[in-house]
Amino acid sequence: MRRTRKTWVTLALMGAVVGMAAAPADATALTTAQATACPTGWGSLAKTDDSATTAPVTDIRTGRHACYDRMVIDVPGAGSNGLGYSVRYVDHLYQDGSGRLIPVGGGAVLEVRVAAPAYDPETGAPTYPGRAGRPLPGVDLTGYRTFRDTRFAGSFEGETQVGLGVRARLPFRVLQLTDRVVVDVAHNWTGAR
């Protein structure tokens, strides 16, 4: 009977060891990696590209993602190489040309400039329905973790200017994609979801 017990205990221990070997070596590291799967290295310094286009802005829209909130400025016909931008945190948003202060809600303000007009360069007719000092038309920020407010500042001398109010001064990135500029603002500095 003793041999049977020893054999049984040995088999039970071997099964436990095999079962543990099939599990990740460090389950805590895996859980931490899943919780911090968001990018964190974007920084909060100004990001610019000096390119420019005469193709006009036609739409500005936003979206929510697991790690960040996103703003997209559509400029059909601009391609991706000639579409410049300047995105930076500012203390206050001032409208180009007039210098008028445009209040933007939130803990911090990102000034988003796209080197494209919001009007037809040949006729001067607006191509985007935004009105200076007003929220962006069609943009509803209900349920967003980072975005708090948007304001259209206008289009002056071939540049379109937008104020983006965010919860705090958080890391952001700017992407140039075909016919659009994308601004992603992280939900936090740590990368945790």
Side-chain angles (χ1 to χ4, degrees):
M1 189 89 159
R2 273 192 184 173
R3 283 186 184 171
T4 308
R5 255 191 200 165
K6 277 186 174 179
T7 305
W8 179 251
V9 170
T10 302
L11 288 174
L13 287 172
M14 285 177 60
V17 169
V18 169
M20 287 174 53
D26 188 355
T28 304
L30 182 59
T31 304
T32 302
Q34 289 171 338
T36 59
C38 296
T40 58
W42 299 343
S44 62
L45 298 179
K47 293 158 181 65
T48 61
D49 181 310
D50 293 333
S51 304
T53 184
T54 57
V57 172
T58 59
D59 193 23
I60 303 174
R61 53 200 164 88
T62 60
R64 295 180 294 171
H65 295 267
C67 297
Y68 52 84
D69 290 347
R70 170 172 281 183
M71 173 182 277
V72 179
I73 300 98
D74 291 316
V75 188
S80 59
N81 295 332
L83 191 50
Y85 60 84
S86 171
V87 181
R88 65 190 178 111
Y89 280 103
V90 295
D91 293 331
H92 302 285
L93 181 67
Y94 293 99
Q95 183 182 39
D96 279 350
S98 72
R100 177 180 129 202
L101 173 66
I102 297 179
V104 181
V109 178
L110 267 176
E111 178 185 50
V112 179
R113 293 173 178 267
V114 176
Y119 54 84
D120 182 323
E122 293 182 21
T123 65
T127 57
Y128 176 71
R131 293 180 39 210
R134 306 284 301 153
L136 298 178
V139 171
D140 179 4
L141 299 180
T142 303
Y144 281 67
R145 287 181 59 189
T146 298
F147 290 176
R148 295 295 184 257
D149 192 14
T150 61
R151 296 293 162 164
F152 187 70
S155 193
F156 182 71
E157 294 183 349
E159 282 196 359
T160 300
Q161 182 186 23
V162 174
L164 177 58
V166 296
R167 182 173 48 77
R169 189 179 179 116
L170 294 163
F172 70 93
R173 71 177 173 184
V174 181
L175 305 171
Q176 288 172 302
L177 303 175
T178 302
D179 297 341
R180 63 189 162 275
V181 171
V182 175
V183 178
D184 293 332
V185 182
H187 293 255
N188 56 55
W189 279 96
T190 64
R193 288 185 185 236

